[in-house]
Amino acid sequence: MKVIFVAGTAGAGKSLLASKIHEYYTANGAFAAILNLDPGVISLPYTPDIDIRDSIDIVSIMKQYDLGPNGALMMASDLIAAKLDDIQDQADKINPDYLIVDTPGQIELFAYRTSGPYFIDNFRADQKTALFLYDGVLVTTAINFVSMALLATSIRLRMGIPAINVLTKTDLIADKISEILRWTTNLKTLENAISTEADGETYVLVTNILRSLNLSGFAQGLIPVSNVTGEGMVNLQGALSRILNQGEETED
């Protein structure tokens, strides 16, 4: 069993991409399953094979502990770690080739509290990788792109597993894709774009951060994908294969 954790900011398209990856693997002869790890989600574009909502009920937590929605989500996030053994047993019984994990919409609750990294580290699998979704609509400006790249790097450090950067919603930003991809490989191009958006102090701050972290290294390999058209799924599958299957194709 190989596990793919799908992570990103709220609204980046995690659940829909999880469903598209499942469809892609299934169409190509692989046995894939989806684990919904978001206890607060109301509706999903897929039917989960394993659902944390079967074990954790946000409404019940709010009533039992007299919490608001945010407090209940925080408690629910921590309870995910306590359900690890049950989820592991369910996954082992299904025993898919690929388990796609749709992580909570509030990324800070999963990645920055102890429960998320604990779950990733202790879940048993042959291989693990993560997808970090760059919301295409949000990263059309250079400042937003840098902010997202820094977040992606931070999340990767927290998760501690190989990660693939994915640019989503490309069908909505067709005129910006080429420029965004240039930012991932050409630091000077990105700095020039920042200079047109930021004042002197902000420009100096951002460019110093970029140079110290070497953006061309940590944002390289951004894969454009559209959940609507399916464009980019072949390239994404190839990147997943290189990590999970040592480059072997998924087809039988």
Side-chain angles (χ1 to χ4, degrees), residues 186-207:
N186 190 318
L187 187 60
K188 188 62 178 177
T189 300
L190 180 55
E191 289 181 354
N192 289 340
I194 292 169
S195 69
T196 66
E197 299 177 17
D199 58 26
E201 184 176 347
T202 302
Y203 174 78
V204 171
L205 172 63
V206 175
T207 53

Side-chain angles (χ1 to χ4, degrees), residues 77-234:
S77 178
D78 292 340
L79 288 173
I80 289 174
K83 300 298 181 181
L84 173 60
D85 290 342
D86 291 339
I87 295 172
Q88 184 77 63
D89 288 343
Q90 293 181 66
D92 289 342
K93 288 177 182 177
I94 297 171
N95 194 27
D97 299 320
Y98 300 93
L99 180 65
I100 305 156
V101 182
D102 188 6
T103 65
Q106 295 79 7
I107 192 170
E108 67 277 9
L109 296 182
F110 184 73
Y112 293 115
R113 297 181 71 81
T114 58
S115 55
Y118 176 86
F119 187 96
I120 293 172
D121 187 51
N122 289 280
F123 192 86
R124 295 188 305 275
D126 298 322
Q127 297 287 344
K128 303 172 191 175
T129 192
L131 303 181
F132 183 86
L133 278 53
Y134 284 58
D135 188 328
V137 175
L138 295 182
V139 299
T140 53
T141 67
I143 294 294
N144 284 358
F145 174 80
V146 172
S147 299
M148 193 66 70
L150 292 173
L151 177 60
T153 304
S154 176
I155 297 301
R156 181 171 184 171
L157 290 173
R158 290 290 297 165
M159 288 188 165
I161 55 177
I164 298 168
N165 293 319
V166 181
L167 178 66
T168 61
K169 304 180 183 177
T170 55
D171 50 290
L172 300 178
I173 57 165
D175 59 333
K176 295 288 292 185
I177 295 174
S178 296
E179 183 178 15
I180 292 171
L181 294 179
R182 280 197 299 272
W183 292 342
T184 69
T185 57
N186 190 318
L187 187 60
K188 188 62 178 177
T189 300
L190 180 55
E191 289 181 354
N192 289 340
I194 292 169
S195 69
T196 66
E197 299 177 17
D199 58 26
E201 184 176 347
T202 302
Y203 174 78
V204 171
L205 172 63
V206 175
T207 53
N208 283 341
I209 291 173
L210 293 180
R211 290 166 183 170
S212 64
L213 292 176
N214 184 13
L215 182 73
S216 62
F218 71 70
Q220 204 166 27
L222 189 63
I223 300 175
V225 169
S226 170
N227 291 333
V228 174
T229 67
E231 186 175 0
M233 287 300 301
V234 173

